[in-house]
């Protein structure tokens, strides 16, 4: 895959960053520096990725934290997948939701077992080179000494005021004290830190993660739950483990696109690419109504199946290979016409997040971790800095659905790391964060790279769309007006929005022996290489 490294058709003013030995790309500059610090200390891409992930729990708390989940794809000559998402508590039964029409978005009923800490430990045990404790040093420093809040993070923090400040229950007060001192979000450039975060990260580092799942930190989580109406227990935490999984893929015009299998929504990207493969996208200009229409419709059909069939792998009614069958994609493709499909229905096949990429000369890592909706559940364990995710919101209440809420079950997950190979050789990691935008962002980045032969930075810079539901489509403000007007004629219900809704991503691709790194212009981040 050769890319023109001097062609930048969009106005982000960013350029790719290149190096021969190592690279890191993420959404926050201080986190990227944490990864590079590990390389400079003699570490490898795994050390860099873990240090970056840990640092992000401090410097971008609006999207992830110590109480997050995580997934990873790692290339070491072969691609490996890690699912570190946590299961629901053993006492999370359907009776708790009697009288509700949908899952709540905040509070204890949304909390599943956090898996990010297990991801750090599991990845380090297999590939880590530096001492585990050393990987925590930058994050502890940022938490203890404080750091200037970056602009995009400050904007997200400000938006979160309306969600979290009105919460009155006793379970929410520790959270508000830590993240909204003085009853407001910190402004861009203001220094924010948390000595409780630093103390907890030290405990995780020195115990190899044991304290979080089977030690003092686990006890603090379980005790606070018992005191404030939560149902997560010490046994729920102790029984958690990260699982190695076989990545799933599809070949799109000679490039193999890889995702983590269900319970994640990564399969939606692969299904949409299978549908899209039957159209000659490259014959249309990148900024044309035709290419937007075809991508949106392919994604719409993929989502219809994913929302019907995907959940915890133990509960799937339809096998992954059947959903990814090319003949099935061909049948679905026939539903796409000149006008938008209003209500895409599932077929019948047979049978708020942070993203980071790191690479060196031997290892390449695609890692994503998230609270889910911004700061997550609104619950923070006192004196620890551990803000708990609200991944339980990913369940539904439909009886018999593979994703129906149940005890000790993984919910449908939005966060997905991506990876590209060609002819069994690694091209590299890529990802786009942002809830349901993630598979849509993956699709658009792959189309930009493969059909339009863009370099990684241009592929991330390009204007984006997001399918919502029905015929509703959000278009980024940079989409040309003629494209929006033509999509309206095709019966798409178009709404123009700012960049915050269209995800934040990064990528590192290997080209001619050189690591070519790029970071999302919609975020504060930066890519660095050596």
């Amino acid at each position: 895959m050769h890319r023109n490294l001097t062609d930048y058709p969009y106005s982000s003013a960013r350029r790719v960053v290149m190096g021969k030995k190592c690279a890191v790309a993420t959404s926050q500059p201080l986190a990227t520096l944490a990864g590079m610090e590990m390389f400079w200390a003699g570490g490898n891409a795994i050390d860099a990725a873990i240090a970056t992930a840990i640092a992000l729990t401090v410097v971008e708390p609006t999207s992830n934290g110590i109480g997050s989940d995580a997934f990873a794809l790692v290339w070491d000559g072969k691609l490996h997948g890690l699912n570190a998402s946590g299961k629901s508590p053993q006492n999370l039964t359907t009776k708790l939701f009697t009288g509700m029409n949908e899952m709540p978005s905040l509070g204890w009923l949304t909390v599943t077992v956090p898996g990010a800490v297990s991801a750090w430990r599991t990845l380090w045990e297999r590939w880590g080179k530096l001492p585990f404790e050393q990987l925590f040093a930058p994050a502890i420093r940022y938490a203890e000494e404080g750091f200037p809040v970056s602009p995009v993070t400050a904007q997200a923090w400000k938006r979160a005021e309306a969600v979290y400040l009105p919460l009155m229950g006793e379970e929410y007060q520790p959270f508000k004290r830590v993240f909204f001192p003085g009853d407001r979000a910190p402004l861009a450039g203001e220094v924010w830190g948390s000595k409780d975060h630093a103390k907890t990260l030290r405990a995780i580092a020195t115990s190899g993660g044991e304290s979080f799942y089977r030690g003092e930190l686990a006890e603090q989580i379980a005790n606070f739950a018992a005191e404030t109406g939560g149902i997560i227990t010490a046994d729920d935490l102790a029984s958690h483990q990260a699982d190695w999984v076989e990545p799933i893929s599809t070949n799109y015009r000679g490039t193999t696109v890889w995702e983590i299998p269900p319970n994640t929504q990564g399969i939606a990207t692969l299904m949409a690419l299978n549908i899209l493969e039957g159209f000659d996208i490259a014959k249309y200009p990148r900024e044309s109504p035709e290419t937007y229409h075809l991508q949106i419709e392919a994604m719409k059909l993929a989502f219809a199946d994913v929302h019907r069939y995907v959940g915890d792998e133990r509960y799937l009614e339809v096998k992954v290979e059947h959903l990814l069958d090319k003949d099935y994609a061909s049948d679905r493709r026939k539903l796409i016409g000149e006008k938008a499909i209003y209500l895409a229905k599932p077929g019948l096949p047979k049978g708020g997040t942070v993203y980071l990429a790191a690479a060196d000369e031997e290892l390449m890592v695609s890692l994503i971790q998230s609270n889910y909706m911004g700061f997550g559940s609104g619950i923070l364990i006192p004196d620890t800095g551990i803000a708990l995710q609200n991944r339980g919101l990913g369940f539904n209440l439909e009886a018999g659905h593979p994703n129906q809420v149940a005890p000790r079950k993984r919910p449908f997950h939005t966060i997905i790391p991506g990876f590209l190979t060609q002819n069994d050789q690694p091209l590299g990691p890529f990802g786009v964060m942002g809830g349901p935008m993630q598979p849509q962002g993956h699709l658009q980045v792959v189309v930009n790279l493969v059909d339009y032969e863009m370099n990684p930075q241009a592929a991330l810079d390009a204007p984006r769309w997001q399918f919502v539901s029905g015929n509703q489509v959000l278009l980024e403000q940079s989409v040309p007006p003629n494209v929006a007007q033509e999509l309206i004629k095709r019966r798409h219900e178009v709404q123009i929005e700012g960049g915050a809704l269209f995800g934040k991503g990064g990528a590192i691709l290997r080209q001619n022996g050189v690591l070519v790194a790029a970071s999302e212009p919609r975020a504060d981040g930066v890519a660095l290489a050596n």
Side-chain angles (χ1 to χ4, degrees), residues 164-334:
Y164 297 99
L165 285 181
L167 298 175
M168 300 305 294
E170 63 174 321
E171 68 270 34
Y172 301 117
Q173 302 318 305
F175 177 91
K176 293 198 289 184
R177 285 194 293 270
V178 169
F179 290 115
F180 298 95
D183 289 330
R184 69 168 179 87
L187 303 175
E190 285 189 330
V191 173
W192 180 89
S194 169
K195 294 193 183 332
D196 286 342
H197 277 69
K199 180 177 68 174
T200 293
L201 290 173
R202 276 200 180 90
I204 293 169
T206 56
S207 70
E210 279 296 298
S211 179
F212 191 88
Y213 294 107
R214 282 166 282 275
E216 185 178 345
L217 292 173
E219 185 178 338
Q220 288 177 270
I221 295 169
N223 288 345
F224 189 61
E227 293 166 6
T228 57
I231 58 173
I232 194 167
T233 65
D235 185 56
D236 291 321
L237 291 159
S239 63
H240 172 77
Q241 69 174 36
D243 294 327
W244 294 108
V245 294
E246 200 63 40
I248 57 175
S249 68
T250 195
N251 187 287
Y252 181 70
R253 310 192 205 281
T255 296
T256 303
V257 184
W258 296 88
E259 302 279 356
I260 294 283
N263 56 309
T264 78
Q265 64 175 340
I267 193 171
T269 299
L270 307 182
M271 294 171 70
L273 288 170
N274 283 346
I275 294 169
L276 206 58
E277 193 176 32
F279 299 103
D280 185 4
I281 294 290
K283 77 177 182 180
Y284 303 112
R286 169 58 179 77
E287 302 308 322
S288 67
E290 290 83 4
T291 188
Y292 277 77
H293 173 72
L294 292 172
Q295 290 180 66
I296 292 166
E297 296 298 281
M299 197 75 242
K300 189 184 296 184
L301 289 166
F303 266 145
D305 281 339
V306 166
H307 291 155
R308 170 62 186 85
Y309 298 121
V310 172
D312 188 313
E313 62 176 351
R314 297 170 300 159
Y315 295 82
L316 298 184
E317 302 168 0
V318 177
K319 293 181 179 180
V320 167
E321 54 264 36
H322 293 157
L323 290 169
L324 293 179
D325 183 79
K326 296 270 190 176
D327 289 336
Y328 177 59
S330 180
D331 290 340
R332 299 291 273 166
R333 189 180 305 124
K334 294 171 185 174

Side-chain angles (χ1 to χ4, degrees), residues 449-486:
L449 291 170
V450 175
D451 291 297
Y452 294 105
E453 300 183 337
M454 293 180 178
N455 64 60
Q457 189 62 59
L460 291 170
D461 291 348
R464 290 190 186 140
W465 51 267
Q466 182 183 163
F467 164 68
V468 181
S469 63
N471 275 0
Q472 188 181 2
V473 177
L474 308 181
L475 297 182
E476 201 165 14
Q477 291 170 341
S478 51
V479 172
N482 69 297
V483 171
Q485 291 162 9
E486 182 59 32

Side-chain angles (χ1 to χ4, degrees), residues 123-146:
L123 290 168
W124 176 82
E125 283 179 337
R126 186 159 183 176
W127 290 287
K129 188 176 177 183
L130 297 175
F132 190 62
E133 291 182 51
Q134 188 171 344
L135 311 184
F136 289 74
I140 291 171
R141 188 171 66 244
Y142 297 148
E144 208 155 51
E145 299 175 4

Side-chain angles (χ1 to χ4, degrees), residues 348-471:
L348 291 171
K350 295 176 183 177
T353 305
V354 291
Y355 173 77
L356 66 94
D360 59 31
E361 293 169 294
E362 297 179 354
L363 295 165
M364 304 184 93
V365 188
S366 184
L367 189 150
I368 196 160
Q369 64 186 26
S370 170
N371 288 332
Y372 195 21
M373 290 182 63
F375 279 102
S377 65
I379 295 171
L380 181 143
I381 309 306
D383 305 320
T384 68
I386 300 171
L388 296 173
Q389 62 188 22
N390 59 344
R391 278 289 158 191
L393 179 55
F395 286 122
N396 68 46
L397 301 178
E398 183 183 336
H401 192 284
N403 190 42
Q404 182 186 8
V405 65
R408 292 203 163 165
K409 182 178 182 180
R410 281 177 164 145
F412 175 81
H413 245 283
T414 56
I415 59 174
I416 52 173
F419 202 92
L420 301 174
T421 63
Q422 200 168 53
N423 300 322
D424 297 323
Q425 295 300 309
L427 294 176
F430 77 102
V432 175
M433 52 199 114
M437 183 63 207
Q438 293 183 53
Q440 307 189 59
H442 280 209
L443 173 76
Q444 292 170 67
V445 169
V446 170
V447 166
N448 293 342
L449 291 170
V450 175
D451 291 297
Y452 294 105
E453 300 183 337
M454 293 180 178
N455 64 60
Q457 189 62 59
L460 291 170
D461 291 348
R464 290 190 186 140
W465 51 267
Q466 182 183 163
F467 164 68
V468 181
S469 63
N471 275 0

